[in-house]
Coordinates of all heavy atoms in Angstrom, one line a residue:
M1 N -2.4 -125.5 102.2 CA -2.0 -126.9 101.7 C -1.1 -127.5 102.7 O -0.2 -126.8 103.1 CB -1.4 -126.7 100.3 CG -1.4 -128.0 99.6 SD -3.0 -128.5 98.8 CE -2.9 -127.7 97.3
L2 N -1.3 -128.7 103.1 CA -0.4 -129.4 104.0 C -0.2 -130.8 103.6 O -0.9 -131.3 102.7 CB -0.9 -129.3 105.4 CG -2.4 -129.6 105.8 CD1 -2.4 -130.8 106.7 CD2 -3.0 -128.5 106.4
T3 N 0.7 -131.5 104.3 CA 1.0 -132.7 103.8 C 0.7 -133.8 105.0 O 1.2 -133.6 106.1 CB 2.6 -132.9 103.5 OG1 2.9 -131.9 102.5 CG2 3.0 -134.3 103.0
I4 N 0.1 -135.0 104.6 CA -0.2 -135.9 105.5 C 0.3 -137.3 104.9 O 0.1 -137.5 103.6 CB -1.7 -136.0 105.8 CG1 -2.2 -134.8 106.5 CG2 -2.1 -137.3 106.6 CD1 -3.6 -134.7 106.8
T5 N 0.9 -138.1 105.7 CA 1.4 -139.4 105.2 C 0.5 -140.5 105.7 O 0.3 -140.6 106.9 CB 2.8 -139.6 105.5 OG1 3.6 -138.5 105.0 CG2 3.4 -140.9 105.1
F6 N 0.1 -141.4 104.8 CA -0.7 -142.6 105.1 C 0.4 -143.8 105.1 O 1.1 -143.9 104.1 CB -1.7 -142.9 104.1 CG -2.8 -142.0 104.2 CD1 -2.9 -140.8 103.4 CD2 -4.0 -142.3 105.0 CE1 -3.9 -140.0 103.5 CE2 -5.1 -141.3 105.1 CZ -5.1 -140.2 104.3
I7 N 0.4 -144.5 106.2 CA 1.3 -145.7 106.2 C 0.4 -146.9 106.0 O -0.5 -147.2 106.8 CB 2.0 -145.8 107.6 CG1 2.8 -144.5 107.9 CG2 3.0 -147.0 107.7 CD1 3.3 -144.3 109.3
L8 N 0.7 -147.6 105.0 CA -0.1 -148.8 104.6 C 0.3 -150.1 105.3 O 1.4 -150.0 106.0 CB 0.1 -149.1 103.0 CG -0.3 -147.8 102.2 CD1 -0.1 -148.1 100.7 CD2 -1.6 -147.3 102.5
P9 N -0.6 -151.0 105.4 CA -0.3 -152.2 106.2 C 1.0 -152.9 105.9 O 1.7 -153.4 106.8 CB -1.5 -153.1 105.8 CG -2.5 -152.2 105.6 CD -2.0 -151.1 104.8
D10 N 1.5 -152.8 104.7 CA 2.8 -153.4 104.3 C 4.0 -152.5 104.6 O 5.2 -152.7 104.3 CB 2.9 -153.7 102.8 CG 2.8 -152.6 101.9 OD1 2.8 -151.4 102.4 OD2 2.9 -152.8 100.7
G11 N 3.8 -151.2 105.2 CA 4.7 -150.3 105.6 C 5.1 -149.2 104.6 O 5.8 -148.3 104.9
T12 N 4.5 -149.4 103.3 CA 4.6 -148.3 102.4 C 4.1 -147.0 102.8 O 3.0 -147.0 103.5 CB 4.0 -148.7 101.1 OG1 4.4 -150.0 100.7 CG2 4.1 -147.7 100.0
E13 N 4.8 -145.9 102.6 CA 4.3 -144.6 103.0 C 3.8 -143.8 101.9 O 4.5 -143.9 100.8 CB 5.4 -143.8 103.7 CG 5.8 -144.5 105.1 CD 6.7 -143.7 105.9 OE1 7.0 -142.4 105.5 OE2 7.1 -144.1 106.9
R14 N 2.6 -143.2 101.9 CA 2.1 -142.4 100.7 C 1.8 -141.0 101.3 O 1.0 -140.6 102.1 CB 0.8 -143.0 100.3 CG 0.9 -144.4 99.6 CD 1.2 -144.4 98.2 NE 0.1 -143.7 97.5 CZ -1.0 -144.2 97.0 NH1 -1.2 -145.5 97.2 NH2 -1.9 -143.5 96.4
S15 N 2.7 -140.0 100.9 CA 2.5 -138.7 101.3 C 1.4 -138.0 100.4 O 1.6 -138.1 99.1 CB 3.8 -137.9 101.3 OG 4.6 -138.4 102.3
C16 N 0.5 -137.3 101.0 CA -0.6 -136.7 100.2 C -0.7 -135.2 100.6 O -0.5 -134.9 101.8 CB -1.9 -137.4 100.5 SG -1.9 -139.0 100.2
T17 N -1.0 -134.4 99.7 CA -1.4 -133.0 100.0 C -2.9 -132.9 100.3 O -3.7 -133.6 99.8 CB -1.0 -132.0 98.9 OG1 -1.7 -132.5 97.7 CG2 0.5 -132.0 98.7
A18 N -3.2 -132.0 101.3 CA -4.6 -131.8 101.8 C -4.8 -130.4 102.0 O -3.9 -129.6 102.3 CB -4.8 -132.6 103.1
M19 N -6.1 -130.0 101.9 CA -6.5 -128.6 102.1 C -7.3 -128.6 103.4 O -8.2 -129.5 103.6 CB -7.3 -128.1 101.0 CG -6.4 -128.0 99.8 SD -7.1 -127.1 98.3 CE -8.6 -126.2 98.8
G20 N -7.2 -127.5 104.2 CA -8.0 -127.4 105.4 C -9.4 -127.4 105.1 O -10.0 -126.9 104.0
G21 N -10.2 -128.1 105.9 CA -11.7 -128.2 105.7 C -12.0 -129.5 105.1 O -13.2 -130.0 105.2
M22 N -11.0 -130.2 104.4 CA -11.4 -131.5 103.9 C -11.4 -132.5 105.1 O -10.9 -132.3 106.2 CB -10.3 -132.1 102.9 CG -10.2 -131.2 101.7 SD -8.7 -131.8 100.7 CE -9.4 -133.3 100.0
S23 N -12.1 -133.6 104.8 CA -11.9 -134.7 105.9 C -10.8 -135.6 105.5 O -10.3 -135.6 104.4 CB -13.2 -135.6 106.0 OG -13.4 -136.4 104.8
L24 N -10.3 -136.3 106.5 CA -9.0 -137.1 106.1 C -9.6 -138.2 105.3 O -8.8 -138.7 104.4 CB -8.5 -137.7 107.5 CG -7.3 -138.6 107.3 CD1 -6.1 -137.9 106.8 CD2 -7.0 -139.1 108.8
M25 N -10.7 -138.6 105.4 CA -11.3 -139.7 104.4 C -11.3 -139.1 103.0 O -10.9 -139.9 102.1 CB -12.8 -140.0 104.8 CG -13.5 -140.9 103.9 SD -15.3 -140.7 103.7 CE -15.4 -139.2 102.7
E26 N -11.6 -137.8 102.8 CA -11.6 -137.3 101.4 C -10.2 -137.3 100.9 O -10.0 -137.5 99.6 CB -12.2 -135.9 101.4 CG -13.8 -135.9 101.7 CD -14.3 -134.5 102.0 OE1 -13.6 -133.6 102.6 OE2 -15.4 -134.3 101.5
V27 N -9.3 -137.0 101.8 CA -7.9 -136.9 101.3 C -7.4 -138.4 100.8 O -6.8 -138.5 99.8 CB -6.9 -136.5 102.4 CG1 -5.6 -136.5 102.0 CG2 -7.3 -135.0 102.8
A28 N -7.9 -139.4 101.6 CA -7.5 -140.7 101.2 C -8.1 -141.2 100.0 O -7.5 -141.8 99.2 CB -8.0 -141.7 102.5
L29 N -9.5 -140.9 99.8 CA -10.1 -141.3 98.6 C -9.5 -140.6 97.3 O -9.3 -141.1 96.3 CB -11.6 -140.9 98.8 CG -12.4 -141.8 99.7 CD1 -13.9 -141.4 99.6 CD2 -12.2 -143.2 99.3
K30 N -9.2 -139.2 97.5 CA -8.7 -138.5 96.3 C -7.3 -139.0 95.9 O -6.9 -138.9 94.8 CB -8.4 -137.0 96.8 CG -8.0 -136.1 95.7 CD -8.0 -134.7 96.3 CE -7.5 -133.7 95.2 NZ -6.8 -132.6 95.6
N31 N -6.6 -139.6 96.9 CA -5.4 -140.2 96.6 C -5.3 -141.7 96.4 O -4.2 -142.4 96.5 CB -4.3 -139.8 97.7 CG -4.0 -138.3 97.6 OD1 -3.1 -138.0 96.8 ND2 -4.7 -137.5 98.4
S32 N -6.5 -142.4 96.3 CA -6.6 -143.7 96.1 C -5.8 -144.6 97.3 O -5.1 -145.4 96.8 CB -6.3 -144.1 94.7 OG -7.0 -143.4 93.8
I33 N -5.9 -144.3 98.4 CA -5.3 -145.0 99.5 C -5.9 -146.3 99.7 O -7.1 -146.3 100.0 CB -5.2 -144.2 100.8 CG1 -4.6 -142.8 100.6 CG2 -4.6 -145.0 101.9 CD1 -3.2 -142.9 100.2
P34 N -5.2 -147.4 99.5 CA -5.7 -148.7 99.6 C -6.2 -149.0 101.1 O -5.6 -148.5 102.0 CB -4.6 -149.6 99.3 CG -3.6 -148.9 98.6 CD -3.8 -147.5 99.1
G35 N -7.4 -149.6 101.2 CA -7.9 -149.9 102.6 C -8.8 -148.8 103.1 O -9.5 -149.1 104.1
I36 N -9.0 -147.6 102.4 CA -9.9 -146.7 102.8 C -11.0 -146.7 101.8 O -10.8 -146.3 100.6 CB -9.3 -145.3 102.9 CG1 -8.1 -145.2 104.0 CG2 -10.4 -144.2 103.3 CD1 -8.5 -145.6 105.4
V37 N -12.2 -147.3 102.2 CA -13.3 -147.6 101.2 C -14.4 -146.5 101.3 O -14.9 -146.1 100.3 CB -13.9 -149.1 101.4 CG1 -15.0 -149.2 100.4 CG2 -12.7 -150.1 101.3
A38 N -14.7 -146.2 102.5 CA -15.7 -145.2 102.9 C -17.1 -145.5 102.1 O -17.6 -144.7 101.4 CB -15.2 -143.9 102.3
E39 N -17.6 -146.8 102.5 CA -18.8 -147.1 101.8 C -20.0 -146.2 102.1 O -20.9 -146.0 101.2 CB -19.3 -148.5 102.3 CG -18.3 -149.6 101.7 CD -18.6 -150.9 102.3 OE1 -19.4 -151.0 103.3 OE2 -18.0 -151.9 101.7
C40 N -20.0 -145.5 103.3 CA -21.1 -144.7 103.6 C -20.9 -143.3 103.2 O -21.7 -142.3 103.6 CB -21.5 -144.8 105.1 SG -20.4 -144.0 106.2
N41 N -19.8 -143.0 102.7 CA -19.4 -141.6 102.1 C -19.3 -140.6 103.3 O -19.7 -139.4 103.1 CB -20.4 -141.2 101.1 CG -19.8 -140.1 100.2 OD1 -18.6 -140.0 100.0 ND2 -20.8 -139.2 99.7
G42 N -18.9 -141.0 104.4 CA -18.6 -140.1 105.5 C -19.7 -139.9 106.6 O -19.6 -138.9 107.3
A43 N -20.7 -140.8 106.5 CA -21.8 -140.7 107.5 C -21.6 -141.4 108.8 O -22.4 -141.5 109.7 CB -23.1 -141.3 106.9
A44 N -20.2 -141.9 109.0 CA -19.9 -142.6 110.2 C -20.8 -143.7 110.5 O -21.2 -144.1 111.6 CB -19.9 -141.7 111.4
A45 N -21.1 -144.5 109.3 CA -22.0 -145.7 109.5 C -21.5 -147.0 108.9 O -22.3 -147.9 108.9 CB -23.3 -145.3 108.8
C46 N -20.2 -147.0 108.5 CA -19.7 -148.1 107.8 C -18.4 -148.7 108.5 O -18.2 -149.9 108.5 CB -19.6 -148.0 106.4 SG -18.2 -146.9 105.9
G47 N -17.6 -147.8 109.0 CA -16.3 -148.2 109.6 C -15.3 -148.6 108.6 O -14.2 -149.1 108.9
T48 N -15.5 -148.3 107.2 CA -14.5 -148.7 106.2 C -13.6 -147.6 106.0 O -12.9 -147.6 104.9 CB -15.2 -149.1 105.0 OG1 -16.0 -148.1 104.5 CG2 -16.1 -150.4 105.2
C49 N -13.5 -146.5 106.9 CA -12.5 -145.6 106.7 C -11.6 -145.5 107.9 O -11.0 -144.5 108.3 CB -13.2 -144.2 106.5 SG -14.1 -143.7 108.0
H50 N -11.4 -146.6 108.6 CA -10.7 -146.7 109.8 C -9.3 -146.3 109.7 O -8.6 -147.0 108.8 CB -10.9 -148.2 110.3 CG -10.2 -148.5 111.6 ND1 -10.0 -149.9 112.0 CD2 -9.7 -147.7 112.6 CE1 -9.4 -149.9 113.1 NE2 -9.2 -148.6 113.5
V51 N -8.7 -145.5 110.5 CA -7.3 -145.2 110.5 C -6.9 -145.3 112.0 O -7.6 -145.2 112.9 CB -6.9 -143.8 109.8 CG1 -7.2 -143.9 108.4 CG2 -7.7 -142.7 110.5
V52 N -5.5 -145.3 112.2 CA -4.9 -145.3 113.5 C -3.9 -144.2 113.6 O -2.9 -144.1 112.8 CB -4.3 -146.7 113.9 CG1 -3.7 -146.6 115.3 CG2 -5.3 -147.7 113.7
F53 N -4.1 -143.3 114.6 CA -3.2 -142.2 114.9 C -2.2 -142.6 116.0 O -2.6 -143.4 116.9 CB -3.8 -140.9 115.4 CG -4.5 -140.2 114.2 CD1 -5.9 -140.4 113.9 CD2 -3.9 -139.2 113.6 CE1 -6.5 -139.7 112.9 CE2 -4.5 -138.5 112.5 CZ -5.8 -138.8 112.2
A54 N -1.0 -142.1 115.9 CA -0.1 -142.2 117.1 C -0.7 -141.3 118.2 O -1.3 -140.4 117.9 CB 1.3 -141.7 116.7
D55 N -0.4 -141.8 119.5 CA -0.9 -141.0 120.5 C -0.7 -139.5 120.5 O -1.5 -138.7 120.9 CB -0.4 -141.6 121.8 CG -1.1 -143.0 122.1 OD1 -2.0 -143.2 121.5 OD2 -0.5 -143.6 123.0
D56 N 0.5 -139.1 120.2 CA 0.9 -137.7 120.3 C 0.1 -136.8 119.1 O -0.1 -135.6 119.4 CB 2.4 -137.5 120.0 CG 3.0 -138.0 118.7 OD1 2.3 -138.9 118.1 OD2 4.0 -137.6 118.3
V57 N -0.4 -137.4 118.1 CA -1.1 -136.7 117.2 C -2.6 -136.7 117.6 O -3.3 -135.7 117.6 CB -1.0 -137.3 115.8 CG1 -2.1 -136.7 114.8 CG2 0.3 -137.2 115.3
G58 N -3.1 -137.9 118.1 CA -4.4 -137.9 118.5 C -4.9 -137.0 119.6 O -6.2 -136.6 119.7
S59 N -4.0 -136.5 120.4 CA -4.4 -135.6 121.5 C -5.0 -134.3 121.0 O -5.8 -133.8 121.8 CB -3.1 -135.4 122.3 OG -2.1 -134.6 121.7
F60 N -4.8 -133.8 119.8 CA -5.4 -132.6 119.4 C -6.4 -132.8 118.4 O -6.9 -131.8 117.8 CB -4.3 -131.6 119.0 CG -3.3 -132.0 117.9 CD1 -3.9 -132.0 116.6 CD2 -2.0 -132.2 118.1 CE1 -3.0 -132.4 115.5 CE2 -1.2 -132.5 117.1 CZ -1.7 -132.6 115.9
L61 N -6.8 -134.0 118.1 CA -7.9 -134.1 117.2 C -9.2 -133.8 117.9 O -9.4 -133.8 119.2 CB -7.9 -135.7 116.8 CG -6.7 -136.1 116.0 CD1 -6.8 -137.5 115.7 CD2 -6.6 -135.3 114.6
S62 N -10.3 -133.6 117.1 CA -11.5 -133.5 117.7 C -11.9 -134.7 118.6 O -11.6 -135.8 118.2 CB -12.6 -133.2 116.7 OG -12.7 -134.2 115.7
P63 N -12.8 -134.6 119.6 CA -13.1 -135.7 120.4 C -13.9 -136.8 119.7 O -14.6 -136.4 118.7 CB -13.8 -135.2 121.6 CG -13.7 -133.6 121.5 CD -13.2 -133.3 120.2
V64 N -13.8 -137.9 120.1 CA -14.6 -139.0 119.4 C -16.1 -138.8 120.0 O -16.3 -138.7 121.1 CB -14.2 -140.4 119.8 CG1 -15.0 -141.5 119.3 CG2 -12.7 -140.6 119.5
T65 N -17.0 -138.8 119.0 CA -18.4 -138.6 119.4 C -19.0 -140.1 119.9 O -18.3 -141.0 119.6 CB -19.2 -138.2 118.3 OG1 -19.1 -139.2 117.3 CG2 -18.9 -136.8 117.7
D66 N -20.0 -140.1 120.6 CA -20.7 -141.4 120.9 C -20.8 -142.3 119.8 O -20.6 -143.5 119.8 CB -21.9 -141.2 121.7 CG -21.7 -140.6 123.0 OD1 -20.6 -140.6 123.6 OD2 -22.7 -140.1 123.7
H67 N -21.3 -141.7 118.6 CA -21.7 -142.4 117.5 C -20.4 -143.0 116.9 O -20.4 -144.3 116.5 CB -22.4 -141.6 116.4 CG -22.8 -142.3 115.2 ND1 -23.8 -143.2 115.2 CD2 -22.3 -142.3 114.0 CE1 -23.9 -143.7 114.0 NE2 -23.1 -143.2 113.2
E68 N -19.3 -142.2 116.7 CA -18.1 -142.7 116.2 C -17.5 -143.8 117.1 O -17.1 -144.8 116.7 CB -17.1 -141.6 116.0 CG -15.7 -142.1 115.5 CD -14.7 -141.0 115.4 OE1 -14.9 -139.8 115.8 OE2 -13.5 -141.2 114.9
N69 N -17.7 -143.6 118.4 CA -17.2 -144.6 119.4 C -17.8 -145.9 119.2 O -17.2 -147.0 119.2 CB -17.4 -144.0 120.8 CG -16.6 -144.9 121.8 OD1 -15.5 -145.3 121.7 ND2 -17.4 -145.2 122.9
D70 N -19.1 -145.8 119.1 CA -19.9 -147.1 118.8 C -19.4 -147.8 117.5 O -19.2 -149.0 117.5 CB -21.4 -146.8 118.7 CG -21.9 -146.5 120.0 OD1 -21.3 -146.7 121.1 OD2 -23.1 -145.9 120.0
M71 N -19.2 -147.0 116.4 CA -18.9 -147.6 115.1 C -17.5 -148.2 115.1 O -17.2 -149.2 114.4 CB -18.9 -146.5 114.0 CG -18.8 -147.0 112.6 SD -19.8 -148.3 112.2 CE -21.5 -147.7 112.5
L72 N -16.6 -147.6 115.9 CA -15.3 -148.1 116.0 C -15.2 -149.5 116.6 O -14.2 -150.2 116.4 CB -14.4 -147.1 116.8 CG -13.9 -145.9 116.0 CD1 -13.3 -144.9 117.1 CD2 -13.0 -146.2 115.0
D73 N -16.3 -150.0 117.1 CA -16.3 -151.3 117.7 C -16.6 -152.4 116.6 O -16.6 -153.6 116.8 CB -17.3 -151.4 118.8 CG -16.8 -150.7 120.1 OD1 -15.6 -150.6 120.3 OD2 -17.7 -150.3 120.9
F74 N -16.9 -151.8 115.5 CA -17.4 -152.7 114.3 C -16.5 -152.6 113.1 O -16.9 -153.0 111.9 CB -18.9 -152.4 114.0 CG -19.8 -152.7 115.1 CD1 -20.2 -151.7 115.8 CD2 -20.2 -154.0 115.4 CE1 -21.1 -152.0 117.0 CE2 -21.0 -154.3 116.4 CZ -21.5 -153.2 117.1
T75 N -15.3 -152.1 113.2 CA -14.4 -152.0 112.1 C -13.8 -153.4 111.8 O -13.7 -154.2 112.7 CB -13.2 -151.0 112.4 OG1 -12.6 -151.4 113.6 CG2 -13.8 -149.6 112.5
A76 N -13.4 -153.5 110.5 CA -12.8 -155.0 110.1 C -11.5 -155.2 110.9 O -11.3 -156.4 111.3 CB -12.6 -154.9 108.6
A77 N -10.6 -154.2 111.0 CA -9.4 -154.5 111.8 C -9.7 -154.1 113.3 O -10.6 -153.2 113.6 CB -8.4 -153.5 111.2
P78 N -9.0 -154.7 114.2 CA -9.4 -154.5 115.6 C -9.0 -153.1 116.0 O -8.2 -152.5 115.5 CB -8.4 -155.5 116.3 CG -7.9 -156.5 115.4 CD -8.0 -155.9 114.0
R79 N -9.9 -152.6 116.9 CA -9.7 -151.2 117.4 C -8.5 -151.1 118.2 O -8.1 -152.0 118.9 CB -11.0 -150.9 118.2 CG -10.9 -149.5 118.7 CD -12.3 -149.1 119.5 NE -12.3 -147.8 119.9 CZ -13.4 -147.3 120.3 NH1 -14.6 -147.9 120.5 NH2 -13.4 -146.0 120.6
E80 N -7.8 -149.9 118.0 CA -6.5 -149.7 118.9 C -6.8 -148.4 119.5 O -7.7 -147.7 119.2 CB -5.4 -149.6 117.8 CG -5.2 -150.9 117.0 CD -4.0 -150.9 116.1 OE1 -3.0 -150.2 116.5 OE2 -4.1 -151.3 114.9
P81 N -5.9 -148.0 120.5 CA -6.0 -146.8 121.2 C -6.1 -145.5 120.3 O -6.8 -144.6 120.7 CB -4.7 -146.8 122.1 CG -4.4 -148.2 122.3 CD -4.8 -148.9 121.0
G82 N -5.4 -145.5 119.1 CA -5.4 -144.4 118.3 C -6.4 -144.5 117.2 O -6.4 -143.6 116.2
S83 N -7.2 -145.4 117.1 CA -8.3 -145.6 116.2 C -9.3 -144.5 116.0 O -9.8 -144.0 117.0 CB -9.1 -146.9 116.4 OG -8.3 -148.1 116.1
R84 N -9.5 -144.0 114.8 CA -10.5 -143.1 114.4 C -11.2 -143.4 113.0 O -10.6 -144.1 112.3 CB -9.9 -141.6 114.3 CG -9.3 -141.1 115.7 CD -10.3 -140.9 116.7 NE -11.5 -139.9 116.3 CZ -11.4 -138.7 116.6 NH1 -10.5 -138.1 117.3 NH2 -12.6 -138.0 116.2
L85 N -12.4 -142.9 112.9 CA -12.9 -142.9 111.5 C -12.4 -141.6 110.7 O -12.7 -140.5 111.3 CB -14.5 -142.9 111.6 CG -15.2 -144.0 112.4 CD1 -16.6 -143.9 112.5 CD2 -14.7 -145.4 111.7
S86 N -11.8 -141.9 109.7 CA -11.1 -140.8 109.1 C -12.2 -139.8 108.5 O -11.9 -138.6 108.3 CB -10.2 -141.3 107.8 OG -10.9 -142.0 106.9
C87 N -13.4 -140.3 108.3 CA -14.4 -139.3 107.8 C -14.8 -138.3 108.8 O -15.4 -137.3 108.6 CB -15.6 -140.1 107.4 SG -16.6 -141.0 108.6
Q88 N -14.4 -138.6 110.1 CA -14.8 -137.7 111.2 C -13.7 -136.7 111.6 O -13.7 -136.0 112.6 CB -15.2 -138.5 112.4 CG -16.5 -139.4 112.1 CD -17.6 -138.6 111.6 OE1 -18.2 -137.7 112.4 NE2 -18.0 -138.9 110.4
I89 N -12.5 -136.7 110.9 CA -11.4 -136.0 111.1 C -11.4 -134.8 110.0 O -11.1 -135.1 108.9 CB -10.1 -136.8 111.1 CG1 -10.2 -138.0 111.9 CG2 -8.8 -135.9 111.4 CD1 -10.3 -137.7 113.5
K90 N -11.5 -133.6 110.5 CA -11.4 -132.5 109.6 C -9.9 -132.0 109.7 O -9.3 -131.9 110.6 CB -12.3 -131.3 110.1 CG -13.7 -131.4 109.9 CD -14.0 -131.4 108.4 CE -15.5 -131.6 108.2 NZ -15.7 -132.0 106.8
I91 N -9.5 -131.7 108.5 CA -8.1 -131.3 108.3 C -7.9 -130.0 108.7 O -8.6 -129.0 108.4 CB -7.6 -131.4 106.8 CG1 -7.8 -132.9 106.3 CG2 -6.2 -130.9 106.5 CD1 -6.9 -133.9 106.9
D92 N -6.9 -129.6 109.6 CA -6.4 -128.3 109.9 C -4.9 -128.3 110.0 O -4.2 -129.3 109.9 CB -7.1 -127.7 111.1 CG -6.8 -128.4 112.3 OD1 -5.6 -128.8 112.5 OD2 -7.6 -128.3 113.3
D93 N -4.4 -127.1 110.2 CA -3.0 -126.9 110.2 C -2.1 -127.8 111.2 O -1.0 -128.1 111.0 CB -2.6 -125.4 110.4 CG -2.9 -124.6 109.3 OD1 -3.3 -125.2 108.2 OD2 -3.0 -123.4 109.5
R94 N -2.8 -128.1 112.3 CA -2.1 -129.0 113.2 C -1.7 -130.3 112.7 O -1.0 -131.1 113.4 CB -3.0 -129.1 114.5 CG -3.2 -127.7 115.3 CD -4.3 -127.9 116.3 NE -5.5 -128.2 115.9 CZ -6.6 -128.5 116.6 NH1 -6.5 -128.3 118.0 NH2 -7.8 -128.8 116.1
L95 N -2.4 -130.6 111.7 CA -2.1 -132.0 111.1 C -1.0 -131.9 110.0 O -0.6 -133.0 109.6 CB -3.4 -132.7 110.4 CG -4.4 -133.2 111.4 CD1 -5.6 -133.6 110.7 CD2 -3.8 -134.4 112.2
E96 N -0.4 -130.8 109.8 CA 0.8 -130.7 109.0 C 1.8 -131.7 109.3 O 2.3 -131.8 110.6 CB 1.3 -129.2 108.9 CG 2.8 -129.2 108.4 CD 2.7 -129.6 106.8 OE1 1.8 -129.5 106.1 OE2 3.8 -130.1 106.4
G97 N 2.2 -132.6 108.4 CA 3.4 -133.5 108.5 C 3.0 -134.7 109.4 O 3.8 -135.5 109.7
A98 N 1.6 -134.9 109.7 CA 1.2 -136.0 110.5 C 1.3 -137.2 109.6 O 1.1 -137.2 108.5 CB -0.2 -135.8 111.0
S99 N 1.5 -138.4 110.4 CA 1.3 -139.7 109.8 C 0.2 -140.5 110.4 O 0.0 -140.3 111.6 CB 2.7 -140.5 110.0 OG 3.7 -140.0 109.3
V100 N -0.5 -141.2 109.6 CA -1.6 -141.9 110.1 C -1.5 -143.3 109.4 O -1.3 -143.4 108.2 CB -2.9 -141.3 109.7 CG1 -3.1 -141.0 108.3 CG2 -4.1 -142.0 110.3
R101 N -1.8 -144.3 110.2 CA -1.7 -145.7 109.6 C -2.9 -146.3 109.3 O -4.1 -146.1 109.9 CB -1.1 -146.7 110.8 CG -0.8 -148.1 110.4 CD 0.1 -148.7 111.5 NE -0.3 -148.4 112.9 CZ -1.2 -149.3 113.5 NH1 -1.8 -150.3 112.8 NH2 -1.6 -149.1 114.8
V102 N -2.9 -147.0 108.2 CA -4.2 -147.8 107.8 C -4.1 -149.2 108.2 O -3.0 -149.9 107.9 CB -4.2 -147.8 106.1 CG1 -5.5 -148.6 105.7 CG2 -4.2 -146.3 105.5
P103 N -5.0 -149.7 109.1 CA -4.8 -150.9 109.7 C -5.0 -152.1 108.7 O -5.8 -151.9 107.8 CB -5.8 -150.8 110.8 CG -6.8 -150.0 110.4 CD -6.1 -149.0 109.6
D104 N -4.5 -153.2 109.0 CA -4.6 -154.3 108.1 C -6.0 -155.0 108.4 O -6.2 -155.6 109.4 CB -3.5 -155.4 108.3 CG -3.5 -156.4 107.3 OD1 -4.4 -156.5 106.5 OD2 -2.6 -157.3 107.4
A105 N -6.9 -154.9 107.5 CA -8.3 -155.4 107.6 C -8.3 -156.7 107.0 O -9.5 -157.3 107.0 CB -9.2 -154.5 107.0
S106 N -7.3 -157.4 106.5 CA -7.4 -158.7 105.9 C -7.4 -159.8 106.8 O -7.1 -159.6 108.0 CB -6.3 -158.9 104.8 OG -5.0 -158.8 105.5
Ligands
FES1 FE1 -18.2 -144.8 106.6 FE2 -16.4 -143.1 107.6 S1 -16.9 -143.3 105.6 S2 -17.7 -144.6 108.6

């Protein structure tokens, strides 16, 4: 069990517990994180699970696939250097204590 903090567009922080093997999207949905809709349920086909990592965390995440890379160009909020689809991020111990920002899609 580890802890991940979602930072909402208004600056509110929501710390959530997560288990290894879950996707970051599943953690967000389980904790009703606003702004993470996940319309395609993790198929990397909707872009509604967009999150932004700080550079120091993003360096040890799994690489962005071509498909994820394409989809990140169609997210509601503009793509940023640390942008990822949370459905493509598998939770492991390296994410203990990590913070991830939910971009403002309004
Ligand atoms: Fe649709 Fe991640 S849930 S792209």
Side-chain angles (χ1 to χ4, degrees):
M1 197 77 90
L2 48 115
T3 302
I4 294 176
T5 299
F6 290 88
I7 303 170
L8 306 183
D10 68 359
T12 303
E13 296 189 3
R14 296 267 304 271
S15 291
C16 305
T17 55
M19 294 190 12
M22 296 175 75
S23 72
L24 184 58
M25 175 209 79
E26 290 171 322
V27 176
L29 292 183
K30 186 174 174 215
N31 289 278
S32 302
I33 299 298
I36 304 297
V37 180
E39 286 176 357
C40 75
N41 201 29
C46 70
T48 62
C49 66
H50 180 197
V51 293
V52 181
F53 283 92
D55 289 345
D56 58 338
V57 176
S59 63
F60 58 72
L61 298 174
S62 57
V64 179
T65 64
D66 289 345
H67 183 68
E68 181 181 1
N69 189 48
D70 290 345
M71 189 52 58
L72 282 167
D73 289 334
F74 297 97
T75 53
R79 184 176 186 167
E80 301 180 41
S83 287
R84 295 296 303 263
L85 299 179
S86 61
C87 65
Q88 302 303 299
I89 305 295
K90 284 290 178 205
I91 301 296
D92 69 31
D93 290 346
R94 294 174 296 180
L95 285 171
E96 167 58 31
S99 294
V100 62
R101 184 163 50 83
V102 179
D104 188 355
S106 60

